[in-house]
Amino acid sequence: MKKPTIAVIGSSSMDLVVSSDKRPQAGETVLGKAFDTVPGGKGANQAVAAARLGADVYMIGCVGEDTYGEEITANLKKNGVRTDYVEPVTHERSGTAHIILAEGDNSIVVVKGANDHVTPEYIEKAEELLKNSDLVMIQQEVPEETVVHAAELCSRYGVPLLLNPAPARPVPEVVLDQVSYVTPNEHEAAVLFGGLALSEVLQAHQNKLFITEGAAGVRYHNGRQEVLVPSFPVKAVDTTGAGDTFNAAFAVAIAEGKEMEESLRFANRAASLSVTGFGAQGGMPSRQSVEEGLE
Ligand code: ADP
């Protein structure tokens, strides 16, 4: 089978993770136990997951003019993601997430940095690639006008666009009309369709809206009825990146021409495996392990 080409328009960042017994109060200094840097960002995570699952993946994004930018780009390359459209932005820092793990919980400060430079004009540089892709993916860690423009471009070229509306932010009606697939989790679905009954919303967006429900799986309307496609029981150790793996796997399966329900089972299997490993990218499975799990 020919590998499908997938373009991912999205964020990339470096997570700066410190663990400590105690969370500092305002004005307080505490001693931490460990510090680590981990590449992240929903766009980069989804690109890495799709590449591990066997697609030809291009990242369209921006990094800072700093060493994190070099590390982010090197990590994408190491995972087989093409970085022809990953550019350093002059006088800008890479996106960062500053994470404190303490007292059994995390607190996070996100600085968007170069990710705000993934503008409508910027993605036009990759117009030829977008036109020739089997599927395009985008999330909401880039400016809203970029999501609007990507939806417009993809609909003009007849290329399917998968919008993962994370983090939660309302999506313009015109975008919902133009995209092929929308994949909120339950919280994001509430923000997108607040106040409306989800069964009716699913019925109104048949084979387009897929609401992920954690360990329970994913819900959609297949044109005849509403269906919950169950995930696979696993021992979850870290659910960070479950949604990213789900989206990437769903995109790869659809781009390969798999049927809807089969694609959702493939996505559930990949995402369930991802929660058995630590870190967003750390748990992302290979093609082979997903296929073995589906036998
Ligand atoms: P997000 O990570 O974006 O919040 P969800 O929590 O809905 O999204 O998880 C996305 C998908 O990951 C689910 O639809 C499911 O396939 C899989 N998943 C998540 N948590 C588990 C779990 N504990 N066991 C099995 N599968 C899971």
Side-chain angles (χ1 to χ4, degrees):
M1 193 191 348
K2 187 188 158 291
K3 280 184 169 195
T5 299
I6 294 182
V8 182
I9 302 169
S11 61
S12 54
S13 64
M14 192 59 86
D15 292 352
L16 314 179
V17 190
V18 60
S19 61
S20 146
D21 287 330
K22 188 171 182 303
R23 185 179 311 284
Q25 303 298 310
E28 187 185 12
T29 300
V30 300
L31 275 181
K33 287 195 299 195
F35 172 70
D36 208 354
T37 58
V38 193
K42 289 184 194 296
N45 285 347
Q46 295 183 16
V48 166
R52 284 196 197 157
L53 293 170
D56 234 332
V57 182
Y58 287 78
M59 175 84 195
I60 302 171
C62 292
V63 295
E65 206 183 26
D66 52 16
T67 51
Y68 294 143
E70 290 164 20
E71 287 175 41
I72 289 166
T73 309
N75 178 64
L76 287 167
K77 285 194 179 135
K78 191 182 82 189
N79 282 282
V81 176
R82 299 281 299 262
T83 57
D84 315 43
Y85 299 96
V86 177
E87 284 185 15
V89 181
T90 315
H91 303 316
E92 184 56 276
R93 303 295 310 247
S94 293
T96 44
H98 304 253
I99 306 176
I100 297 180
L101 301 175
E103 298 166 14
D105 222 330
N106 57 27
S107 342
I108 308 179
V109 178
V110 169
V111 184
K112 292 188 279 182
N115 292 311
D116 261 347
H117 294 258
V118 185
T119 58
E121 299 73 47
Y122 182 77
I123 68 171
E124 289 217 340
K125 294 188 193 176
E127 199 167 348
E128 279 306 304
L129 166 66
L130 294 174
K131 212 188 268 186
N132 294 311
S133 295
D134 294 298
L135 187 144
V136 177
M137 306 177 70
I138 193 165
Q139 318 76 28
Q140 303 203 117
E141 287 180 340
V142 293
E144 180 179 276
E145 54 270 26
T146 307
V147 177
V148 172
H149 194 56
E152 217 268 307
L153 282 179
C154 288
S155 113
R156 192 188 314 157
Y157 300 137
V159 176
L161 177 66
L162 188 164
L163 167 64
N164 175 218
R169 155 174 104 192
V171 174
E173 202 60 44
V174 56
V175 172
L176 280 182
D177 285 344
Q178 287 172 331
V179 300
S180 301
Y181 311 100
V182 194
T183 55
N185 65 16
E186 292 168 284
H187 166 65
E188 290 144 9
V191 171
L192 257 65
F193 305 106
L196 301 175
L198 285 185
S199 289
E200 280 166 31
V201 175
L202 284 166
Q203 176 145 27
H205 299 92
Q206 300 176 5
N207 291 306
K208 177 189 269 207
L209 176 61
F210 304 85
I211 303 179
T212 62
E213 299 185 357
V218 55
R219 193 179 291 279
Y220 79 117
H221 193 296
N222 65 10
R224 296 183 304 281
Q225 58 186 343
E226 187 180 311
V227 192
L228 175 71
V229 183
S231 190
F232 294 75
V234 290
K235 193 167 176 301
V237 301
D238 180 0
T239 58
T240 321
D244 290 334
T245 306
F246 179 92
N247 277 281
F250 182 52
V252 170
I254 289 286
E256 286 177 356
K258 287 191 173 38
E259 298 291 339
M260 187 61 77
E261 186 139 349
E262 191 189 354
S263 299
L264 292 168
R265 269 172 48 77
F266 185 82
N268 276 333
R269 187 59 194 148
S272 72
L273 288 173
S274 79
V275 306
T276 65
F278 284 101
Q281 296 184 10
M284 286 171 176
S286 67
R287 177 80 185 209
Q288 195 191 347
S289 58
V290 177
E291 280 176 353
E292 282 167 7
L294 282 168
E295 275 164 7

